[in-house]
Amino acid sequence: MYIIIASSNKGKIDEIQRWLPEHTVVPYSEILGSFEIEETGLTFQENAIIKVEAIVQKLSEKKYDKEYIVISDDSGLTVKALNNEPGLYSARYAGLDANDGENNAKLIQKLNEKNLTKTPAYYTACLAVAYKNSIYTTHGWMYGDVINELKGQGGFGYDPLFIPNGYKDTLGILDNSIKKELSHRSRALFLAMKIIKVLLK
């Protein structure tokens, strides 16, 4: 079974591959080449569905003949004290082509503007699973705090700024095994795996 991921983000692909070691996990761009998917949804769920539908349509047009499941996700960080920013715009908080460093720098700047060194935040992940003619979605959350300085170089995204509840270190420092257990994406993926196992019976 090919698991086609509607992302070229290596961090996301590696995380899903760790959950599905018995399957071939590939980014959509390996099969279809890169193309832009416009995320016009008003929620993480809407954006995840938009992405998975776009990949399925392209695979159909290409007449892709292998058995496959398409997984897309939309995820982001919500900081209540910043009017729920960056939220849906987490990946492009500092601009359309912003990288992790630029997005982190903007978040730190916003925290500093409010004289916040630490404040509650949470991650949301929605996964959409497309198999044959059906789409299913699952959600996962991770709660904690964001801080106004980078700590650690592990992970990706806002990991060096996020301290999960019950821990003193950021996700940029914590071991991958701990992050897998806590991750919002892992929680959504855990539920998605239940769906996938039923689909493949």
Side-chain angles (χ1 to χ4, degrees):
M1 174 66 68
Y2 277 75
I3 310 296
I4 301 169
I5 310 301
S7 172
S8 295
N9 185 305
K10 189 175 185 301
K12 289 182 182 180
I13 292 163
D14 288 348
E15 185 172 17
I16 292 171
Q17 183 68 79
R18 285 196 294 270
W19 272 91
L20 298 167
E22 70 277 20
H23 297 290
T24 303
V25 178
V26 295
Y28 78 96
S29 55
E30 250 184 48
I31 298 166
L32 299 170
S34 290
F35 64 93
E36 192 68 29
I37 301 173
E38 193 173 351
E39 297 176 25
T40 56
L42 300 178
T43 65
F44 293 114
Q45 184 182 43
E46 287 179 8
N47 279 337
I49 291 171
I50 286 168
K51 286 188 272 192
V52 83
E53 286 179 336
I55 301 299
V56 169
Q57 181 179 339
K58 291 282 188 182
L59 288 166
S60 176
E61 290 170 1
K62 186 182 173 70
K63 295 182 169 48
Y64 189 70
D65 59 357
K66 293 184 172 64
E67 190 177 17
Y68 64 85
I69 287 174
V70 178
I71 299 177
S72 72
D73 89 298
D74 198 47
S75 58
L77 177 70
T78 299
V79 184
K80 294 180 182 179
L82 299 181
N83 196 32
N84 294 326
E85 292 182 10
L88 288 174
Y89 302 98
S90 293
R92 52 192 188 277
Y93 194 33
L96 282 176
D97 297 317
N99 59 33
D100 288 348
E102 292 164 336
N103 287 331
N104 282 325
K106 181 170 181 179
L107 181 55
I108 290 170
Q109 175 192 336
K110 291 280 190 175
L111 293 171
N112 287 338
E113 286 172 2
K114 290 186 173 287
N115 295 315
L116 295 169
T117 58
K118 185 178 184 180
T119 190
Y122 63 93
Y123 276 109
T124 303
C126 176
L127 264 71
V129 177
Y131 181 62
K132 296 186 176 177
N133 296 317
S134 298
I135 296 175
Y136 309 84
T137 61
T138 63
H139 283 81
W141 290 270
M142 175 170 50
Y143 293 86
D145 296 288
V146 288
I147 57 175
N148 68 338
E149 61 177 316
L150 297 168
K151 290 190 176 180
Q153 297 180 356
F156 62 101
Y158 298 95
D159 285 359
L161 297 175
F162 187 87
I163 301 173
N165 285 345
Y167 291 84
K168 294 180 179 179
D169 291 323
T170 68
L171 294 174
I173 295 172
L174 291 172
D175 187 78
N176 275 336
S177 61
I178 296 173
K179 287 195 288 187
K180 180 179 174 181
E181 181 181 340
L182 298 174
S183 165
H184 52 300
R185 193 173 296 105
S186 288
R187 290 173 178 180
L189 192 55
F190 174 77
L191 297 174
M193 289 307 99
K194 290 179 177 290
I195 293 170
I196 289 170
K197 285 175 182 176
V198 170
L199 294 174
L200 297 182
K201 276 186 178 178

